[in-house]
């Protein structure tokens, strides 16, 4: 006969609960659905309450149940608006859901005309009707969609919908309409108010001080985690500026927005306090203050969980909730309020049962609520009354134990209330003795076991519900012993070692070996290859250690274990290595270039410390560098040294490393940061030079001194300069380390005058050394003289060559950079001239891109860094006519031995073309060979060809004073002689 499986039963647990719902009036939807679903065994049945009263589900009712959901058909505000709650029940108990409200939205609006004097402020009231939820507002001027922007002068309050204009202008005249939009779930509804007409009275607009008109409430309550928005807007002329501040704390990084709005994201209790809005213009200011008070919905900190308890026992449940105001906690049993009675005590979030009875079983809920919300926590209490039952946890049938060892035999029947326990060996009743212990929970412990302890052991359990027993057989085995224990060892870092461990055991049982280091088990899979089991033999558990590190030193324990007993032996491994980090680095006796360091010895890791190394880093570099010390070599027994050659006025951190014959150890922790004392600069600034600038100026440049070489605060530069060849020096002080140039202006400074210049640095402690003297020239002026004997010659129809006599260097007021050629067509102005520049001292230029047969005027100027000088007298040139546009035609050729004769019709120039003085021919044997140029004065040419000639490529064009003409191309073949 097969036993029928039983399904575990449990009370309802909500998986979906109703939520607050908004139903827009006039919606196309014809129903509202409030969701409710609970997991339960057996399945739950559902009921609903509205405003605390159970809803009757009659056949013709507008209310109906779909699974656990409540569906309301054709909802009406007057009948259906209210608070709804779902009740889920089964045979195990009842739970109620959180409350959910059903609300209805609405819309409509009206407006009145407004008249105001121009320059004064005005407010248009939107006056929306009662509505839910809050609307969003915009305003129209005259017609849709001419929406009014929020631009500092105009502001639309999203709290009231009102439109504020700080200072009216003529452009504000017109008809205004409030445009309100309500967002309900996924439905958006908008409505226009009637127009309000604004008319302006003409009057001189006088200025007046701000007056705050749109104000946030004196007390603004907000829930933690939400966004808070404060509004503040003022009338005034000029338009006031709005500023925000928190009077009892700092501005938060969560503030966003500005001017009329202050928004605080994810508001928290730290944002609570008094806030001030200030409106200000040139005529005065106005302020307004209000508080933000942060509160919070209830939130569970501790809740109840499903509990199974024995009949007659005591039980204490507690629920703890946070929130502001502090939530009140109440209790429900099977959906009904629970108060103190007889054995049950209810005290806020505490629920206590004394001597539980079966009737206490059921579904319990603790409910925490404040004015911002309600939270529910549910749990099932099952009170059990069971006769002792060993079916789930019988006494172990075969109980092995080691000779001379100890065995523990639990007795854990399922029983409610807890059963009393007796033990027997065979028919002998066992009682507590020197070798036998029965613990309060019924566990039997036998010690110093011998062969005579073998036999049947029975546990008898009893309570008022009944009795039961369970029996196991004790079998005594040989004890496990370590036969070869590990030996203590001493090795260096990086060496290998094997720790031996052999054992004997009862041959009927399996033996395993485990290793621990300082009582922590060794995980071979995570040892990064340092540990390995050395043998696969059953009685051998050797441990091999590879590439030993300092962390591998300690007490190793080998444990040989069977299911009944174990044996252990330990050995100590010493690993010698580089020293550990020194401790407590202290800096004292700080001067400008030295400090005194002291430290405490670290672990020598079993090898004497030979010497110490000192390293430092500055705020300019995160890299540690070895420092010079006094003494140069710091002996291993020292705990102090002087660090020398430091940079004055520099922030330093120091650390110390110890070394021995096995290497350099880990560094100490960095010392606290110190700054060396100041000193006068010791290095002159570099990169001294200059030049350029405006007339009568001397510009001196240098490379700013790096922080490393400033040596103190108040850093700057002292410049000394004089006209070359004079005696007295002028000086100038330039503050700030980042300065990099100085400009000296004086009407007496001539152009491009050489000056001798020196520079040195200074700080609060004094002046540094001077640099070497550099020669710097004052600002240049444009050249004062022009080139002469300018000639221009037409080369081709679009090119010319220009040459000139150079200006004398003694006449220059700067460094001659080159010459600028200007050329322009006859009839054009010189300002429209094209320009070509040469570099250096060249006295000729080739100019291209000219128009053929065109008269040009040409002049030349010298130029330097200050600009161009005066022009030379202009000269004239007329470019040649262009070459003929027609290529040679009627090309033919004939072969005679090793010569090919090529002929063509002559090209005759037209009146507007330059004369033909000859022809150019490019001859190529094939497409890969270089072309050969042939010149011909007439329309024929003979060209030698090899005997194996087959073909060639030829280009023929006219040439003359106007340049080369258009080419004719021909492919010459041995067996053909004419090109059409």
């Amino acid at each position: 006969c097969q036993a029928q499986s039983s399904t575990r039963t449990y009370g309802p647990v909500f998986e979906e609960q109703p939520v607050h719902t908004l139903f827009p009036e006039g919606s196309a939807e014809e129903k509202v659905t409030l969701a409710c679903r609970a997991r339960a065994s057996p399945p739950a049945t559902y009921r609903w309450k509205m405003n605390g009263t159970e809803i009757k589900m009659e056949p013709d009712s507008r209310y109906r149940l779909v699974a656990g959901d409540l569906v309301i058909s054709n909802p009406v505000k007057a009948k259906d608006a209210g608070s709804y709650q779902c009740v889920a029940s089964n045979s195990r108990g009842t739970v109620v859901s959180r409350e959910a409200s059903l609300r209805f939205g609405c819309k409509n609006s009206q407006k009145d005309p407004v008249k105001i004097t121009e320059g004064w402020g005005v407010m248009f009231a939107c006056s929306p009707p009662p509505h839910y939820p809050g609307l969003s507002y915009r305003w129209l001027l005259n017609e849709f969609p001419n929406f009014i922007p929020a631009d500092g002068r105009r502001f639309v309050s999203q709290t009231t919908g009102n439109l504020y204009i700080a200072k009216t202008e003529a452009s504000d005249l017109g008809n205004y309409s409030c445009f309100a939009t309500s967002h309900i779930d996924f439905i958006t509804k908008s409505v226009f108010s009637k127009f309000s007409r604004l008319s302006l009275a003409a009057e001189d607009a006088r200025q007046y001080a701000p007056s705050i008109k749109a104000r946030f409430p004196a007390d603004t309550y907000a829930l933690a985690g939400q966004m808070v928005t404060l509004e503040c807007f003022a009338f005034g002329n000029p338009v006031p500026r709005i500023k925000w501040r928190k009077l009892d704390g700092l501005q938060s990084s969560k503030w966003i927005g500005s001017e009329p709005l202050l928004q605080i994201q994810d508001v928290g209790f730290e944002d609570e306090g008094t806030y001030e809005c200030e409106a200000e213009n040139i005529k005065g200011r106005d302020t307004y203050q209000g508080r933000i008070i942060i509160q919070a919905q209830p939130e569970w900190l501790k809740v109840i969980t499903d509990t199974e308890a024995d009949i007659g026992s005591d039980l204490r449940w507690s629920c703890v909730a946070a929130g502001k105001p502090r939530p009140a906690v109440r209790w429900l049993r099977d959906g009904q309020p629970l108060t103190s009675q007889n054995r049950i005590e209810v005290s806020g979030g505490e629920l206590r049962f004394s001597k539980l009875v079966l009737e206490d079983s059921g579904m319990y809920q603790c409910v925490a609520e404040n004015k911002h919300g309600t939270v529910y926590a549910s749990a099932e209490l099952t009170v059990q009354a069971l006769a002792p039952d060993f079916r789930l946890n019988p006494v172990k049938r075969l109980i092995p134990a080691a000779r001379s060892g100890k065995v523990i035999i639990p007795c854990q029947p399922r029983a409610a209330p807890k059963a009393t326990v007796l033990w027997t060996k065979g028919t002998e009743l066992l009682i507590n003795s020197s070798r036998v212990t029965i613990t309060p929970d019924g566990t039997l412990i036998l010690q110093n076991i011998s062969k005579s302890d073998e036999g049947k052991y029975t546990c008898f359990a009893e309570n008022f519900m009944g009795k039961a027993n369970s029996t196991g057989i004790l079998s005594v085995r040989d004890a496990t012993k370590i036969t070869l224990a590990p030996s203590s060892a001493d090795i260096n870092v990086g060496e290998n070692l094997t720790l031996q461990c052999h054992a004997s055991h009862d041959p009927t049982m399996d033996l395993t070996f485990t290793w621990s280091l300082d009582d922590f088990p060794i995980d071979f899979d995570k040892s990064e290859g340092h540990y390995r089991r050395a043998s696969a033999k059953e009685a051998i558990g050797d441990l091999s250690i590879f590439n030993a590190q300092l962390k591998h030193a300690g007490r190793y324990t080998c444990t040989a274990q069977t299911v009944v007993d174990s044996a252990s032996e330990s050995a100590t491994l010493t690993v010698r290595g580089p020293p550990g980090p020194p401790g407590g680095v202290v800096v004292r006796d700080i001067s400008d270039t030295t400090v005194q360091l002291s430290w405490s010895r670290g672990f020598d890791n079993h090898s004497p410390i030979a010497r110490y190394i000192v390293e430092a880093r500055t705020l300019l570099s995160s890299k540690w560098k070895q420092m010079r010390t006094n003494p140069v070599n710091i002996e291993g027994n020292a705990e102090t040294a002087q660090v020398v050659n430091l940079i004055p006025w520099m922030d330093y951190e120091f650390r110390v490393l110890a070394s021995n014959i096995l290497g350099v150890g880990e560094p100490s922790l960095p010392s606290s940061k110190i700054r060396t004392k100041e000193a006068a600069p010791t290095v002159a600034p570099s990169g001294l030079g200059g030049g350029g600038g405006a007339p009568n100026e001397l510009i001196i440049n240098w490379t700013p001194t790096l922080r490393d070489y400033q040596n103190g605060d108040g850093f700057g530069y002292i410049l000394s300069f004089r006209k070359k060849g004079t005696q007295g020096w002028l000086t100038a002080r330039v503050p700030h380390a980042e300065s990099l140039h100085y400009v000296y202006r004086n009407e007496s400074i001539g152009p491009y005058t050489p000056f001798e210049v020196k520079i040195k640095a200074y700080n609060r402690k004094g002046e540094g050394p001077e640099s070497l003297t550099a020669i710097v020239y004052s600002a240049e002026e444009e050249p004062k003289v022009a080139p002469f004997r300018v000639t221009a010659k037409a080369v081709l129809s679009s090119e010319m060559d220009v040459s000139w006599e150079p200006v004398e260097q003694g006449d220059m007021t700067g460094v001659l950079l080159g010459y600028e050629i200007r050329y322009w067509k006859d009839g054009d102005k010189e300002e429209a001239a094209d320009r070509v520049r040469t570099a250096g001292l060249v006295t000729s230029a080739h100019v291209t891109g000219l128009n053929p047969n065109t008269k040009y005027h040409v002049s030349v100027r010298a130029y330097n860094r200050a600009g161009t000088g005066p022009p030379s007298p202009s000269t004239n040139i007329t470019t040649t006519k262009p070459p003929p546009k027609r290529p040679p035609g009627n090309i033919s050729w004939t072969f005679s031995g090793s010569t090919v004769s090529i002929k063509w019709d002559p090209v005759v120039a037209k009146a507007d073309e330059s004369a033909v003085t000859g022809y150019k021919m490019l001859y190529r044997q094939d497409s890969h060979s270089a072309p050969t140029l042939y010149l011909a004065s007439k329309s024929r040419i003979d060209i030698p060809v090899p005997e194996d000639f087959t073909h060639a490529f030829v280009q023929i064009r006219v040439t003359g004073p106007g340049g080369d003409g258009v080419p004719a191309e021909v492919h010459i073949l041995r067996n053909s002689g004419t090109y059409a």
Side-chain angles (χ1 to χ4, degrees):
C1 166
Q2 183 176 357
Q4 184 176 359
S5 63
S6 59
T7 303
R8 187 180 75 87
T9 61
Y10 54 88
V13 178
F14 281 117
E15 294 186 330
E16 188 174 11
Q17 299 187 55
V19 296
H20 296 308
T21 301
L22 304 167
F23 185 79
E25 289 184 320
S27 169
E29 289 286 326
E30 297 180 349
K31 63 182 179 181
V32 171
T33 300
L34 299 175
C36 182
R37 181 164 54 90
R39 171 170 44 86
S41 178
T45 59
Y46 299 92
R47 295 175 288 128
W48 282 83
K49 293 182 178 180
M50 175 185 173
N51 298 332
T53 302
E54 186 169 339
I55 298 174
K56 295 182 179 180
M57 303 292 176
E58 297 177 349
D60 297 331
S61 170
R62 291 183 301 108
Y63 300 100
R64 58 191 176 93
L65 274 178
V66 177
D69 297 349
L70 175 64
V71 180
I72 306 174
S73 301
N74 302 315
V76 179
K77 179 179 179 181
K79 296 181 179 179
D80 300 319
S83 177
Y84 290 79
Q85 209 169 12
C86 173
V87 182
S89 304
N90 72 357
S91 58
R92 303 286 293 185
T94 300
V95 290
V96 295
S97 73
R98 64 182 172 226
E99 294 183 5
S101 61
L102 174 59
R103 299 172 181 170
F104 291 75
C106 57
K107 57 195 186 301
N108 221 339
S109 193
Q110 294 284 335
K111 298 265 48 80
D112 293 321
V114 175
K115 184 175 182 179
I116 196 71
T117 301
E118 183 177 351
W120 289 87
V122 67
M123 185 270 287
F124 291 99
C126 187
S127 304
H131 55 273
Y132 188 94
L135 306 177
S136 62
Y137 301 94
R138 288 185 291 175
W139 280 77
L140 293 164
L141 177 57
N142 293 328
E143 61 184 19
F144 185 87
N146 186 21
F147 288 107
I148 297 172
D151 54 7
R153 189 174 68 87
R154 295 171 290 188
F155 170 65
V156 178
S157 169
Q158 295 303 313
T159 303
T160 62
N162 297 343
L163 168 65
Y164 297 85
I165 304 177
K167 177 177 78 82
T168 51
E169 299 174 352
S171 60
D172 295 324
L173 195 67
N175 296 315
Y176 288 79
S177 176
C178 177
F179 183 77
T181 302
S182 175
H183 306 276
I184 302 180
D185 289 340
F186 299 105
I187 301 169
T188 299
K189 286 189 173 292
S190 301
V191 63
F192 294 91
S193 70
K194 291 185 177 179
F195 279 109
S196 243
R197 182 167 184 80
L198 174 65
S199 56
L200 300 177
E203 184 178 305
D204 290 339
R206 65 177 181 85
Q207 295 183 333
Y208 62 96
S211 175
I212 294 176
K213 298 298 184 182
R215 303 179 173 187
F216 56 98
D219 289 331
T220 299
Y221 289 89
L223 293 181
Q226 295 183 343
M227 176 184 283
V228 175
T229 300
L230 304 182
E231 295 183 342
C232 181
F233 191 76
F235 293 170
N237 186 6
V239 175
R241 293 295 306 273
I242 305 294
K243 298 179 183 177
W244 293 90
R245 66 177 62 90
K246 188 170 188 276
L247 298 184
D248 44 7
L250 299 176
Q251 175 174 332
S252 169
S253 61
K254 296 183 290 185
W255 289 20
I256 59 175
S258 59
E259 296 290 324
L261 296 180
L262 171 63
Q263 294 180 307
I264 307 175
Q265 292 179 307
D266 190 22
V267 69
F269 290 102
E270 70 278 4
D271 298 308
E272 194 169 71
T274 301
Y275 289 77
E276 181 181 80
C277 154
E278 178 187 81
E280 183 177 22
N281 65 12
I282 59 175
K283 300 301 290 183
R285 59 192 288 269
D286 190 14
T287 61
Y288 175 74
Q289 296 176 3
R291 292 190 307 156
I292 292 180
I293 301 168
I294 307 301
Q295 300 199 330
Q297 296 174 329
E299 182 180 4
W300 288 120
L301 302 178
K302 181 181 179 182
V303 296
I304 54 177
T305 57
D306 291 345
T307 302
E308 293 181 351
D310 292 348
I311 190 170
S313 64
D314 296 338
L315 175 65
R316 177 179 172 270
W317 260 347
S318 65
C319 284
V320 181
K324 187 177 179 184
R326 182 188 296 276
V329 179
R330 55 189 175 87
W331 292 83
L332 304 175
R333 179 168 67 185
D334 291 331
Q336 300 301 317
L338 183 62
T339 57
S340 296
Q341 51 184 291
N342 300 328
R343 300 169 298 96
I344 300 175
E345 181 183 352
V346 178
S347 177
E350 296 282 336
L351 175 60
R352 298 185 184 91
F353 296 87
S354 299
K355 298 181 180 178
L356 286 165
V357 297
L358 294 175
E359 289 75 15
D360 293 326
S361 297
M363 297 301 300
Y364 289 80
Q365 292 175 283
C366 49
V367 185
E369 54 193 345
N370 64 13
K371 63 182 182 180
H372 300 298
T374 304
V375 290
Y376 289 75
S378 304
E380 183 176 2
L381 172 61
T382 304
V383 179
Q384 298 177 324
L386 302 170
D389 187 349
F390 282 97
R391 283 178 296 180
L392 292 179
N393 201 11
V395 173
K396 193 173 180 182
R397 190 162 186 179
L398 179 61
I399 308 165
R403 197 186 306 270
S404 302
K406 178 174 78 171
V407 68
I408 299 173
I409 311 174
C411 178
Q412 297 174 333
R414 185 182 181 193
K418 181 181 175 181
T420 57
V421 171
L422 296 175
W423 279 94
T424 63
K425 179 191 175 189
T427 59
E428 176 190 356
L429 179 65
L430 298 178
I431 59 175
N432 286 329
S433 66
S434 59
R435 293 180 54 246
V436 179
T437 302
I438 301 174
T439 65
D441 67 354
T443 298
L444 173 63
I445 302 174
L446 303 177
Q447 302 190 64
N448 194 19
I449 291 174
S450 64
K451 197 70 174 174
S452 62
D453 290 319
E454 288 188 330
K456 290 185 178 181
Y457 288 80
T458 303
C459 173
F460 292 88
E462 180 178 3
N463 66 11
F464 74 88
M465 295 291 292
K467 301 177 182 180
N469 62 77
S470 181
T471 300
I473 299 173
L474 179 65
S475 174
V476 179
R477 312 292 175 89
D478 290 338
T480 303
K481 296 178 182 179
I482 299 292
T483 57
L484 178 60
S487 299
S488 296
D490 189 333
I491 61 175
N492 293 334
V493 166
E495 294 182 345
N496 303 331
L497 173 73
T498 296
L499 296 175
Q500 293 182 307
C501 185
H502 300 183
S504 64
H505 66 293
D506 190 298
T508 64
M509 310 188 76
D510 292 332
L511 177 69
T512 58
F513 288 91
T514 59
W515 284 88
S516 63
L517 173 58
D518 294 331
D519 298 326
F520 287 95
I522 294 174
D523 188 336
F524 289 85
D525 293 332
K526 297 181 180 179
S527 69
E528 299 176 344
H530 289 291
Y531 294 120
R532 193 179 303 162
R533 300 183 189 275
S535 175
K537 296 181 180 179
E538 183 180 359
I540 298 176
D542 297 352
L543 172 68
S544 292
I545 304 173
F546 297 92
N547 188 23
Q549 302 298 308
L550 292 172
K551 64 182 180 180
H552 297 133
R555 180 172 170 268
Y556 284 82
T557 300
C558 170
T559 301
Q561 188 168 10
T562 66
V563 295
V564 297
D565 69 338
S566 63
S568 299
E569 290 290 346
S570 299
T572 300
L573 175 62
T574 301
V575 180
R576 303 182 188 276
V585 178
V586 176
V587 188
R588 53 186 175 83
D589 299 342
I590 302 169
S591 73
D592 55 350
T593 59
T594 65
V595 298
Q596 193 73 26
L597 286 190
S598 61
W599 59 87
S600 59
R601 289 173 58 87
F603 293 113
D604 63 9
N605 289 327
H606 313 293
S607 180
I609 296 173
R611 61 189 291 262
Y612 287 97
I613 301 168
V614 174
E615 293 182 338
R617 66 181 176 188
T618 68
L619 59 79
L620 304 176
S621 172
S622 60
K623 186 177 181 180
W624 291 94
K625 296 180 180 178
Q626 185 171 344
M627 306 302 292
R628 296 192 179 203
T629 59
N630 182 20
V632 175
N633 293 314
I634 307 171
E635 299 294 332
N637 57 358
E639 293 187 11
T640 183
Q642 186 184 49
V643 187
V644 299
N645 290 1
L646 299 176
I647 300 172
W649 196 57
M650 182 59 66
D651 293 333
Y652 281 98
E653 288 179 294
F654 299 93
R655 70 182 187 183
V656 180
L657 302 88
S659 66
N660 59 21
I661 60 172
L662 296 173
V664 178
E666 293 291 318
S668 68
L669 292 175
S671 69
S672 57
K673 287 183 181 178
I674 63 97
R675 175 173 288 184
T676 51
K677 293 186 176 179
E678 297 178 83
T682 55
V683 177
S686 62
L688 187 60
N696 308 120
E697 284 186 354
L698 172 66
I699 296 181
I700 304 171
N701 301 327
W702 61 91
T703 302
T705 299
L706 298 176
R707 173 69 174 78
D708 309 44
Y709 304 106
Q710 294 174 16
N711 288 7
D713 202 4
F715 188 86
Y717 305 91
I718 299 175
L719 293 164
S720 300
F721 52 94
R722 66 184 178 188
K723 187 176 180 180
K724 190 175 182 181
T726 62
Q727 295 298 316
W729 291 88
L730 297 173
T731 61
R733 294 174 74 91
V734 182
H736 309 307
E738 61 272 15
S739 300
L740 46 74
H741 73 274
Y742 172 72
V743 181
Y744 173 62
R745 296 180 180 87
N746 193 299
E747 296 295 331
S748 66
I749 298 177
Y752 203 57
T753 302
F755 280 79
E756 294 178 302
V757 179
K758 298 184 292 185
I759 189 171
K760 61 183 175 181
Y762 71 89
N763 61 22
R764 291 194 306 195
K765 287 295 183 178
E767 299 175 1
E770 276 192 322
S771 69
L772 297 174
T773 301
I775 300 298
V776 178
Y777 286 84
S778 63
E780 302 177 32
E781 288 185 356
E782 299 91 341
K784 300 300 183 186
V785 294
F788 57 99
R789 294 180 186 164
V790 176
T791 61
K793 180 182 177 182
V795 180
L796 297 172
S797 60
S798 61
E799 300 175 13
M800 68 177 172
D801 286 331
V802 182
S803 61
W804 58 89
E805 292 292 331
V807 298
E808 295 293 334
Q809 286 291 335
D811 296 331
M812 291 298 293
T813 53
V815 177
L816 177 65
L817 298 180
Y819 295 90
E820 182 177 276
I821 299 92
R822 298 188 183 184
Y823 54 96
W824 62 99
K825 296 177 184 177
D826 188 39
D828 290 349
K829 294 183 179 180
E830 184 178 356
E831 291 77 6
D834 291 316
R835 306 178 186 197
V836 172
R837 278 193 168 188
T838 67
L841 302 179
V842 298
T843 58
S844 63
H846 184 71
V847 181
T848 61
L850 305 177
N851 291 340
N853 197 24
T854 303
K855 183 178 181 181
Y856 282 90
H857 301 278
V858 181
S859 70
V860 181
R861 304 168 184 242
Y863 72 91
N864 60 18
R865 281 191 290 262
T868 55
S872 69
S874 65
T875 186
N876 300 327
I877 182 178
T878 301
T879 55
T880 62
K881 297 177 182 179
K885 298 183 175 64
R886 299 169 307 289
N890 199 22
I891 301 171
S892 64
W893 59 91
T894 59
F895 289 89
S896 176
S898 60
T899 301
V900 58
S901 295
I902 304 173
K903 298 187 299 182
W904 56 89
D905 291 342
V907 177
V908 179
K910 296 180 180 180
D912 60 347
E913 295 174 337
S914 63
V916 176
T917 60
Y919 297 89
K920 287 182 180 179
M921 185 175 75
L922 283 178
Y923 175 87
R924 222 170 14 163
Q925 191 70 36
D926 55 52
S927 60
H928 302 294
S929 61
T932 303
L933 176 64
Y934 293 92
L935 299 177
S937 58
K938 297 182 178 180
S939 58
R940 174 182 175 140
I941 192 168
D942 295 331
I943 299 173
V945 294
E947 291 184 5
D948 58 350
F949 175 88
T950 58
H951 70 281
F953 298 95
V954 172
Q955 274 189 358
I956 304 172
R957 70 182 78 202
V958 300
T959 185
D964 295 340
V966 180
E969 296 186 357
V970 62
H971 186 193
I972 297 176
L973 300 173
R974 168 72 80 171
N975 56 0
S976 175
T978 303
Y979 169 70

